[in-house]
Amino acid sequence: MTRYVYQFCDGNKDMKDLLGGKGANLSEMTKIGLPVPPGITITTEACKRFYEKGQKIDSDLEKEICENLEKLEEKMGKKLGDKENPLLLSVRSGAPISMPGMMDTILNLGLNDESVKGFSKAISNERTAYDSYRRLIQMFGDVVMKIPSEKFEEVLDDIKKSNGYKDDTELTIDDLKEVVDRYKTIFKENAGIDFPQDSRKQMMMAVEAVFSSWENDRAITYRNINGIPHTLGTAVNIQSMVFGNMGNDSATGVLFTRNPATGAKGLYGEFLVNAQGEDVVAGIRTPQFIDEMENVFPDKYREIEEVAQKLERHYKDMQDVEFTIEKGKLYMLQTRNGKRTGAAAVNIAVDMVEEGFIDKKTAVLRVEPLSVKQLLHPAFDEVELQKAKKITKGLAASPGAAYGKIYFTSEEVVAAAERGENAILVRTETSPEDIDGMSKAKGFLTARGGMTSHAAVVARQFGKSCISGCSELVVNEKAKKFSVKGVEYKEGDYISLDGNTGCIYEGKIQTKEAEITGNLNKLLTWADEFRRLEIWTNVDKAKDLERALEFGAEGIGLCRTEHMFFGEDRIKYVRRMILTDDIEEEMKVLDKLFEFQKKDFYNLFKHMDGRQVIIRLLDMPLHEFLPVRDKDIEALSKEMNKDFDELKHKVSSLKEFNPMLGHRGCRLGMTNPEIYRMQVRAIITAVTELEKELNITLRPQIMIPLVGIEEEIASIRKNVTEVADEIIERENSKLVYEVGTMIEIPRAALMADKIAKHADFFSFGTNDLTQMTFGFSRDDADAYLKSYVKQCVLEISPFESIDTEGVGKLMDIAVRLGRETNPKLHIGICGEHGGDPKSIQFCDKIGLDYVSCSPFLVPVARLAAAQAAIKNN
Amino acid sequence: MTRYVYQFCDGNKDMKDLLGGKGANLSEMTKIGLPVPPGITITTEACKRFYEKGQKIDSDLEKEICENLEKLEEKMGKKLGDKENPLLLSVRSGAPISMPGMMDTILNLGLNDESVKGFSKAISNERTAYDSYRRLIQMFGDVVMKIPSEKFEEVLDDIKKSNGYKDDTELTIDDLKEVVDRYKTIFKENAGIDFPQDSRKQMMMAVEAVFSSWENDRAITYRNINGIPHTLGTAVNIQSMVFGNMGNDSATGVLFTRNPATGAKGLYGEFLVNAQGEDVVAGIRTPQFIDEMENVFPDKYREIEEVAQKLERHYKDMQDVEFTIEKGKLYMLQTRNGKRTGAAAVNIAVDMVEEGFIDKKTAVLRVEPLSVKQLLHPAFDEVELQKAKKITKGLAASPGAAYGKIYFTSEEVVAAAERGENAILVRTETSPEDIDGMSKAKGFLTARGGMTSHAAVVARQFGKSCISGCSELVVNEKAKKFSVKGVEYKEGDYISLDGNTGCIYEGKIQTKEAEITGNLNKLLTWADEFRRLEIWTNVDKAKDLERALEFGAEGIGLCRTEHMFFGEDRIKYVRRMILTDDIEEEMKVLDKLFEFQKKDFYNLFKHMDGRQVIIRLLDMPLHEFLPVRDKDIEALSKEMNKDFDELKHKVSSLKEFNPMLGHRGCRLGMTNPEIYRMQVRAIITAVTELEKELNITLRPQIMIPLVGIEEEIASIRKNVTEVADEIIERENSKLVYEVGTMIEIPRAALMADKIAKHADFFSFGTNDLTQMTFGFSRDDADAYLKSYVKQCVLEISPFESIDTEGVGKLMDIAVRLGRETNPKLHIGICGEHGGDPKSIQFCDKIGLDYVSCSPFLVPVARLAAAQAAIKNN
């Protein structure tokens, strides 16, 4: 026969599915001899039965509950509803997976018109007794009978008002008795029945109410959002009450066994003398820090310390604990693994290994990889941030925190920077003309444009904070001001941008620099022992590269060549190259660009110290490089000695309806082969020169973007090797280089066997692959993606974490087909998902060789890759 | 031992791979006893050997050729290079697949300084002999020694000039002898050797030259374009020459055994008395029609008629024949299946079944499905078209031919139409404001916009001719004119648009209406006996529907609901619905739209006669409905009582970077569920009303566009059934309806098993599926797609014919996964590929149930489906 009810002393911590998290932990604490007020747990199976029987507790189940209640009464030497010394109970939900605050709780159960008197006598505190009774009626009315709490609050307010009280504590015992009477009236008026005086009936109704709360709207929504199965059901814990408000030898408190913010050893928490748990939460009285307890209750403090150590030793993790001291006796009411910051997680995990609690593998699994990010990025000072006034929110386009005075043109930013000011560039949207100001600004804020807008791309390349697509922003560049919901901000006003969250604040919030603690280093070194995936990085600037190498990157998985075209000294050549019809002029301009690019690649490889570097050939559509404003077109027309109208027509004819699906990447390489040939010439020339100069061996990898058709890569590869081999031969070099491709077009994944014939490596461009597989334009998708996540159509935006079902299926196909043709194929990912732990786990699972992510995410990826290897094994 | 040389009498028509097309047919004609001048064929294997030996004829092969030449000399009783009565030869290429004009030919081989005298005597015509000799030197010089023909032409011109001749025929025999001498001098000067007097050497050099011509640039390009393998090689045919220029009892001609334009029975062709084949081609003399031959050579005419019948009976197809009469004796020089128009193809196929030549299956396979289209669309009169001056070319966005006066605004078009004029609307691009003018114009021409631009979509819906994205067009709407490469066209000028080709012509070209002949009906009825696929149609107007049903459509596979929103009386409500923030206003406007939509669907179903209709819920992004011009926004702001700036901001905030991947289709259905609910209400209300009124049974199918996620269709289906079932219950109806989805997002194909749980049918939207699978924006892709096809990166644009390797793989996955979950799933295609024969063959192969195409393509699809079923079986 299925057992539906357990005494705390019968369960243990491994029975979470049956007893819920709270019940299992209460049992466990009981089992290891901690002072837990006795109680019983009605199982999740009972909950399922309750729903099967049409939301009813059938007589068999009721009988089992009552039998267990009797055992509890025996253990406590008190009876529920007893007139002399009644047993009081709390009734709480407790699901297998924590759903904090989602379901209902009832305290002080067992009080009625008679037992309240006995209780009063037993605790020698009439005030507490009647206060407990009126709380029971209110809670019971609310939870069981759905009577709005306000109705009860009104009565309390009324009595306080007519007596001129400000505070609940001023209520006399007679006042409280009046409250109880009037509460009962309200109960009857609204519930249609008297407040039940039969305590067993109270209990059964409370249990039913808790079971029912499993399916209240809040709980269903919570489960939808968090992906918790609706079939789990909740357990119900019925526990004998203890009271922290029985005088000055009583107290109640919460604590963490270590500091949850820093991980420092030693208790961290707070307590209140002569109070109940809810008083701590309600914030009416200010609690004391837990260390002050050493003075107030030295014995109890030591006892708690021992309990905390016992719990940590037992659970092998930092615990979040609730306790009550009733007349000098300590009771433990709850324990669970404590939530913590990234820094604390790292320190606790490492400390616990050193303390011998856990092994390295457990430590590596213990830290949420993304939480490591908090330790690395410049961020706002938390204290200042809490005081700051938020203006609005946009897209978090490039991470990092920044403050500065606002300016609306590139020129003004440059001038401000020369004056030594921190400047923030605010524009409707940025264009290549703004590049000077952008290089000098601390951050950018734009009203339009998405995660791949000009501002966002440049910001990430420059490593600057950027918030884009802030739709509430109305920018008036002429009047040098912007407004948000009618509030105006003028040139020179301070604002602060949080590129991690997309939030914009008024005024100046100080930032603090990233720190890497010794413990983080330790943890990551352990992670490296477990991971199978190599961790590469996406960079194209020497400064970022330095950081990435410091953070442990093993290669460059993506070096973009776009930004190299945007410099003030080059953009005009790029434009002339694009807009000329004269082949000679084109070749002349390409030679000029070759010189720039050669220098770029020379510097890059010089800093790479012999590591592998994947250079992606030009990916952007040509029109991104072109001038937008008539003024700039006119300047160019003079330089090129071309008719303005004709030039303008040509510029606008290059615009595209759907640039994401446009004439870019290898499509450009096919129609304008000279650009790629110039780039390859620059790469190979730079590398052969460097090899000679430094007498080292380099191994450049040339990556062709946006391939979808076998003939694209075949034809471009032919071009690449033609150019490269000629230089290598001429220079008498032994250089070995590789040619590979992005897999970012659905068709490329489907045709990977054919494409792999011409590729030495594959690198998944999951940003574009996601856009095309879903048909979502990332720049526009916010309008529905947010609501999709809210409505649980999607668990998470597929741009944040790889959609393993759909996009992942294509990746899996590509890996299998690719290796069928070319078993040596080196396969990785360089989309932004390369820094997302869930995505990394998937990449490990389908057998990629490496993930490549932005420098700041390298530590995250190291940890995530280790966890993936452990979990996938 | 491999045999490398065949006598014509040794081969047959099935040896095309070895003997080439021409050689095989010459052998076949010889075999069936037709008078073919004897000859030999050097095989394609010999060609391969030639290349293997480094482009040389080795001595073994030379020996085999000479042995066969000797056999030929024996047969002819003449010897090559003989002084008295020399054998003359033609040397011609002949590949297994016809490559007309791509490779080289040499005639009159065997003439030299001596044999020309013997030849002259033998034919008693010194003039012809020397003329033949000088032609040989020129041809040989050109083909074998690469001496530019101009150098020889200059000599001829010089002699003509110095004698004051206008025409070649004025040259005297002495003149011709001088020509020969001077030709030989030029030959030596340029080739570095004397013109070879040894006739066998001439022959061997000619054979080498023909083999070499297999790899000339023209031939390689031709093979690339037509997908002919470069490995096939060409055969060489060496044939004894016959002469049609041996006096008035000689002649030469070409003919088709039936009329290639109409298919009418009876010979169709032309001939020249006393002429050589090249004279017919050169056009110096005007040939006579073949039927006049009955008067000139009555016996020969009858002989030719008999040969033609014999050839048709033998080849079971209409033949394209070359012949020569030499001194009263008929020789057949070539036969092959004749090219023909669509009309001719249909008529010949049907006639040949009735004549007992072929069976129905062969007839069905004989007609190129797309050629049937020529029979159905209004087209320009061919005679007028040939005389017309082409202005430029744009995208063929909507088929049909139209002429009219040009106007630049909607208002002027309306006014012109009221005056009874044919009007063509010319704009940079059209917008919803132009709808009035568009409904009155005969066609639209736009400078911008692709195949899915507003103009193109409306044009196809209205069944009007449209040419869009004509980039050479510079439209000046203010000045009421446009220009192309500097040439201006003003308001009121006539132009003609060919929506089938994208060509724009000056002036007025008369159009002619479509005709359906009885033979076409017969052929299509036969096709219906063979096909497995159902043929449905894409329509949303009663007029198009009528045509589609007439053409044999079995259901409506796609009824778009977009255009129903564009009517002048409705668009303002649509706009208010989109732009209001007031939920009450929204519901009021939706009620208004409901009335319109109900009427639309009522009319549609009324004409459907109980057939199945798939109605697609709104697919377009909302911003497509919004006003663009300030004027229109202002009018709307007054109507809505809203601030202009605010409204303008809202309008522009709905713009998207990549509308193709934007907030449309079911994404709108998810974020704005009331629109779909309104549409469903309108459909179901209309249908239940009609069922009662007409006492018939209808079966509407509701199609959800752009699904990529299971939860999208699950959630919208729930909404649909909720609305529908409530009406059905209220109306006491027994209506059965279905809910299905488009498969047009790559992810939908990958997740088809999940999606099929909620779908009664799938319809492949291969336009969008192709865009996303390739990452090609159809509106922008022209810039590289054309060059991709030219460079053979793609065989054909994937928007014309399904890319079976990539997109097709997704379709195949979707069919298999979908039927795994739901074996009853009805699957079809409604993208434009539904009318493309190659795509239809693929759809048949992967097991679709139906294809749906535009009304004009229904006959094409019927025929293509039959061919597919036959070929796939």
Side-chain angles (χ1 to χ4, degrees), chain B residues 571-633:
Chain B
I571 186 80
K572 62 180 176 185
Y573 294 108
V574 177
R575 290 172 172 174
R576 279 165 61 179
M577 168 189 79
I578 297 169
L579 293 170
T580 186
D581 302 316
D582 178 354
I583 183 95
E584 262 180 61
E585 156 91 349
E586 192 190 335
M587 300 310 283
K588 225 162 58 191
V589 172
L590 278 166
D591 277 343
K592 199 82 198 165
L593 286 170
F594 163 76
E595 293 298 335
F596 285 119
Q597 288 256 287
K598 199 188 87 176
K599 215 175 291 168
D600 291 329
F601 294 126
Y602 181 92
N603 287 328
L604 183 82
F605 278 96
K606 195 164 179 179
H607 287 91
M608 264 320 283
D609 216 10
R611 281 182 185 75
Q612 282 185 295
V613 181
I614 298 183
I615 295 169
R616 182 176 70 185
L617 300 182
L618 190 67
D619 183 38
M620 263 197 191
L622 293 180
H623 60 79
E624 291 276 338
F625 297 104
L626 294 181
V628 176
R629 291 177 294 202
D630 279 0
K631 198 181 82 180
D632 299 296
I633 298 176

Side-chain angles (χ1 to χ4, degrees), chain A residues 712 747 750 788 803 809, chain B residues 712 747 750 788 803 809:
Chain A
E712 286 173 333
R747 195 175 188 277
L750 295 164
Y788 270 25
D803 156 50
K809 195 183 269 187
Chain B
E712 286 173 334
R747 195 176 188 277
L750 295 164
Y788 271 23
D803 156 51
K809 195 183 268 186

Side-chain angles (χ1 to χ4, degrees), chain B residues 247-300:
Chain B
N248 287 332
D249 58 349
S250 299
T252 189
V254 293
L255 62 82
F256 293 89
T257 55
R258 304 193 185 209
N259 186 320
T262 64
K265 290 179 209 174
L267 302 186
Y268 181 94
E270 49 198 24
F271 74 105
L272 269 173
V273 175
N274 194 15
Q276 266 195 304
E278 47 186 343
D279 298 330
V280 179
V281 182
I284 298 164
R285 287 163 56 195
T286 306
Q288 292 173 276
F289 286 112
I290 197 79
D291 22 350
E292 292 170 35
M293 200 170 172
E294 214 175 340
N295 306 321
V296 187
F297 300 118
D299 290 355
K300 291 301 124 186

Side-chain angles (χ1 to χ4, degrees), chain A residues 553-595:
Chain A
E554 295 164 277
I556 310 275
L558 176 61
C559 169
R560 299 175 186 89
T561 53
E562 277 74 25
H563 83 278
M564 301 177 175
F565 283 64
F566 273 123
E568 199 200 2
D569 45 352
R570 314 162 171 208
I571 185 82
K572 62 180 176 184
Y573 293 109
V574 177
R575 289 172 174 174
R576 280 165 58 178
M577 170 188 77
I578 297 169
L579 293 171
T580 186
D581 302 317
D582 178 353
I583 183 93
E584 262 179 60
E585 156 93 349
E586 193 190 335
M587 298 313 282
K588 225 162 58 191
V589 171
L590 279 167
D591 278 342
K592 198 83 199 163
L593 287 170
F594 163 75
E595 293 299 333

Side-chain angles (χ1 to χ4, degrees), chain A residues 106-121:
Chain A
I106 299 173
L107 303 177
N108 303 330
L109 204 127
L111 288 176
N112 57 28
D113 294 350
E114 292 301 319
S115 67
V116 68
K117 294 174 192 156
F119 180 52
S120 163
K121 233 185 286 166

